[in-house]
Amino acid sequence: MARRRSDDRHRAAAGAAGRTKALAENQIAALWRLDVALREKTLWKMLYESAARADELLCLNVEDLYPQDKRGKITAKGGATEWIHWQSGTAQLLPRLIARRTRGPLSLTDRRAPTGTPTLDVCPETNRGRLSYRRAEEICEENTRLLANPLASPEGIEDLDGRTLHTGDCAGFGDGR
């Protein structure tokens, strides 16, 4: 049943008017070949495999994950608790991303959290903050700009007017609930 729900979400997102278009197979293949940090690889793979919304995944904590079952507990729109399921790509990346952490935000920034950051958004084991949607979007855009504009040269990247693979939800993975 969970697999059906994920498939339905992918189809609904791909066909929703005014939403981000689903990526073509060749774009997805190119995305997986990008040389990006483990955090981004894991987030993008989890977005693709689970069809969850980017903000839902960015709110995940390590203690919300059940890696042995390839699932995690999220808070959906409206505050409902739901389960997301992922496949082997995410399952292979998660242990490396989590390392030995047992609690706290799954996706962390590269720096210590500033003073005054809410406790729920700080990893108690590393003191690093939760990755924000805004920063995740910036990283996605920085890394996918040339994929979305294959005829552009790296030198002319500033002239692309912000066109990326996503321009909407991180990398156009079709999270259209």
Side-chain angles (χ1 to χ4, degrees):
M1 177 143 168
R3 181 73 230 154
R4 182 173 171 262
R5 178 173 171 256
S6 180
D7 291 344
D8 290 346
R9 287 168 58 186
H10 275 293
R11 272 194 289 282
R19 301 273 175 127
T20 303
K21 291 182 182 177
L23 298 177
E25 264 185 67
N26 63 332
Q27 289 175 307
I28 293 290
L31 186 68
W32 300 149
R33 289 191 301 269
L34 287 177
D35 185 22
V36 296
L38 176 62
R39 177 187 64 200
E40 279 67 55
K41 281 184 185 181
T42 308
L43 176 62
W44 297 349
K45 192 64 95 164
M46 189 178 263
L47 281 165
Y48 180 73
E49 291 181 353
S50 72
R53 299 168 51 87
D55 59 333
E56 293 169 339
L57 295 185
L58 291 168
C59 288
L60 273 174
N61 289 322
V62 173
E63 58 269 28
D64 298 329
L65 305 176
Y66 297 81
Q68 68 282 5
D69 299 328
K70 297 182 184 174
R71 67 184 185 140
K73 189 173 25 173
I74 61 165
T75 302
K77 276 187 175 179
T81 299
E82 294 185 10
W83 292 93
I84 59 165
H85 298 81
W86 54 81
Q87 297 170 15
S88 59
T90 300
Q92 291 172 0
L93 294 169
L94 272 175
R96 292 184 2 212
L97 180 67
I98 295 169
R100 290 184 167 82
R101 294 185 294 131
T102 58
R103 56 198 174 114
L106 175 63
S107 298
L108 298 172
T109 60
D110 295 328
R111 300 179 231 167
R112 293 177 64 93
T115 305
T117 302
T119 306
L120 292 174
D121 290 332
V122 178
C123 176
E125 298 173 23
T126 66
N127 290 320
R128 291 167 39 209
R130 182 183 306 277
L131 182 67
S132 70
Y133 184 94
R134 181 195 54 77
R135 183 63 185 134
E137 182 178 40
E138 288 172 357
I139 293 167
C140 180
E141 288 179 3
E142 290 168 11
N143 286 287
T144 63
R145 188 159 288 152
L146 288 177
L147 290 179
N149 304 280
L151 300 179
S153 67
E155 298 79 35
I157 197 136
E158 291 84 23
D159 300 328
L160 296 177
D161 293 329
R163 290 187 325 226
T164 66
L165 283 181
H166 91 284
T167 312
D169 275 313
C170 191
F173 292 107
D175 53 39
R177 278 193 282 161

